[in-house]
Amino acid sequence: MKLPDIQDWIQKLERGGEDAAPYAASAMRRTMFRYRKMFAEGQTSAQPIKFRGRGGFYLPGAGNARGKVNAFFLLGYPIRKTDDKKATWANTRFEVFTRSKIAAAHEFGAKIAPKAGKRYLAIRTGYALQSDGRARRYWSSPAMLRKHFNFPIRVVPARGGRPALLLVDVANVDKKKGSKKYLAERAKADRRPRWRVAFKLIPRTRLKARLGFYRGFERLAPNLLAERLGKEYERFLREVYGKKTRRRAA
């Protein structure tokens, strides 16, 4: 079935006056939420990247869309709250944006350089990652690692075009807030060094534009919005005009 044009639905809702404005705003908001879910689950041609807490991002996995995981992009609410906090035609807008610098970098591409006073960017690898590719807890950066653990650290200089490496001695770590069980096991452990690669140290890098979030939105949003506007128009007729009809009959 071919969906009516978005403008046709808007015109039908506009005939309902300000009573219909909240339904149009709801359609826009629900459309954005639906697309965000489709994107996160990999239903679009875009490459989904998810944001989990403060630990950064990881590429999609089997359980990527399950649980309380926030989508990388934040979507703007179409309702701008007025004094009476009611949606009107004047404050109903359709906006998509992100506050995340990392998300924008993956969407549009970016040059990444070390912060002022730093020589290298530290890229997690090897021992710093779990089997599913996510960072171990407290291993998001060398600074975070030093804050929570006391690892012996060694840096292997860059050679032959290869990046410098930061190694940690995983056999001789002292946990600042270790449990009695952990400390007892540590006392029995072999104290010979076991060096493991945890970070690659590079002077700078460039991220390619690869997400395609906006590109997918531009392609899919018109049909999603037209479908939602039709449902909201039916709800408007049922909830608003239906109530008025019953009042007159009474």
Side-chain angles (χ1 to χ4, degrees), residues 239-250:
E239 295 182 355
V240 177
Y241 284 131
K243 288 181 180 179
K244 291 182 178 179
T245 303
R246 285 196 295 272
R247 287 173 186 169
R248 289 170 186 168

Side-chain angles (χ1 to χ4, degrees), residues 35 38-48 211-212 216-217 219-220:
Y35 174 75
M38 291 173 64
F39 178 82
E41 293 176 348
Q43 296 182 34
T44 73
S45 62
Q47 183 181 24
L211 276 187
F217 187 79
R219 187 181 74 255
L220 299 175

